[in-house]
Amino acid sequence: MSDRVSPTSASPSTDVDVLAVGAHPDDVELTCGGTLAAFAKRGLRTAILDLTRGEAGTRGDPATRAREAADAARILGAAFRVTLDLGDGGLRTDRASELEVIDVVRRCRPRLVIAPLPDDRHPDHVRAGRLVADAAFYAGLRTLATAHPAHRPQQVVYVPSHFVADPTFLVDVSDVFETKLEAIRAYKSQFHDAASAEPQTYISTPDFLEGVVAQARSFGRMGTVAYAEAFVSRRPPTLADPIAAFEGYEPGFERGSR
Ligand SMILES: [Zn+2]
């Protein structure tokens, strides 16, 4: 398993089922790390794309964060992780940046793309969500030439971060929740570490990680499982069996009871 593929290298077997994209290293772990771990457990191939190196962060440095990101990708069972350099704290969305993302999509050929919800407190997340959705569409244009042939994913689905969003669907991550937390904890420079001498930030307090757990519990409660991650999609998924999809939502319900 290679932890990192440089954006310019062409590897022979980079096809994946799912490509999860974050603006910053650790975004993917926080928002959909459990879903990626669940996919990997089912034998699906996943990849992670970070649009920036996280160089604007208060704690850690790009080299440290790259090592941590590689560890986290390994923990989540991702086939590989690609890191672009589109500018942390001012994410670039110009045509050149868009073409870089298009080429990663074409190289990985994902069926599903996960992107940050473009409605968020952090402007990089807003820009990233729009950039990825546009790039995923343009990647399917045969007349647009890049290093790899055209490919359009089935759908881009979004993961919320700071703002509350009504989920279009939930993914049960109860079985892999410890793996998600382990992947988050791989970012030793970013999250709570009692031994660290670096300045405390919003995400380095113990409260922040408790919030991550509480959010997954809250979504889990909505879906009657222990832990869940939430997704927003402009196009809703079509369910083969709506009855099975709501199995267990009202445990013990009997006809005529309230
Ligand atoms: Zn972020």
Side-chain angles (χ1 to χ4, degrees), residues 93-179:
T93 59
D94 52 36
R95 185 59 161 169
S97 307
E98 193 170 74
L99 286 167
E100 286 193 53
V101 180
I102 288 170
D103 202 53
V104 173
V105 169
R106 287 177 167 184
R107 186 145 52 88
C108 300
R109 305 181 61 76
R111 291 190 287 158
L112 186 72
V113 170
I114 301 174
L117 184 71
D119 177 25
D120 195 75
R121 162 179 167 266
H122 199 317
D124 283 356
H125 296 176
V126 176
R127 294 182 191 188
R130 291 187 187 140
L131 176 67
V132 172
D134 291 353
F137 184 87
Y138 291 140
L141 295 182
R142 286 189 179 79
T143 48
L144 176 65
T146 67
H148 296 84
H151 170 78
R152 184 171 294 150
Q154 293 172 171
Q155 179 71 357
V156 176
V157 296
Y158 299 104
V159 278
S161 178
H162 300 92
F163 289 173
V164 175
D166 282 338
T168 312
F169 63 91
L170 301 167
V171 174
D172 180 1
V173 297
S174 307
D175 289 351
V176 289
F177 197 66
E178 268 310 310
T179 307

Side-chain angles (χ1 to χ4, degrees), residues 22-28 30 65 88 116 120 122 124-125 161-162:
H24 315 104
D26 74 28
D27 284 356
V28 160
L30 289 169
R65 297 196 68 174
D88 181 7
D120 195 75
H122 199 317
D124 283 356
H125 296 176
S161 178
H162 300 92

Side-chain angles (χ1 to χ4, degrees), residues 161-231:
S161 178
H162 300 92
F163 289 173
V164 175
D166 282 338
T168 312
F169 63 91
L170 301 167
V171 174
D172 180 1
V173 297
S174 307
D175 289 351
V176 289
F177 197 66
E178 268 310 310
T179 307
K180 173 190 172 98
L181 291 181
E182 197 189 328
I184 292 171
R185 285 193 291 260
Y187 292 89
K188 292 186 184 69
S189 72
Q190 301 303 300
F191 299 108
H192 184 65
D193 174 9
S196 173
E198 293 210 71
Q200 193 80 266
T201 64
Y202 164 63
I203 64 170
S204 73
T205 62
D207 287 356
F208 180 81
L209 283 178
E210 279 182 34
V212 170
V213 175
Q215 190 183 45
R217 284 288 282 170
S218 171
F219 286 130
R221 189 174 167 79
M222 204 182 273
T224 66
V225 296
Y227 298 99
E229 287 174 339
F231 293 81

Side-chain angles (χ1 to χ4, degrees), residues 221 223-225 246-254 257-258:
R221 189 174 167 79
T224 66
V225 296
F246 292 102
E247 192 75 50
Y249 270 50
E250 293 291 346
F253 177 83
E254 288 168 26
S257 72
R258 292 178 190 276

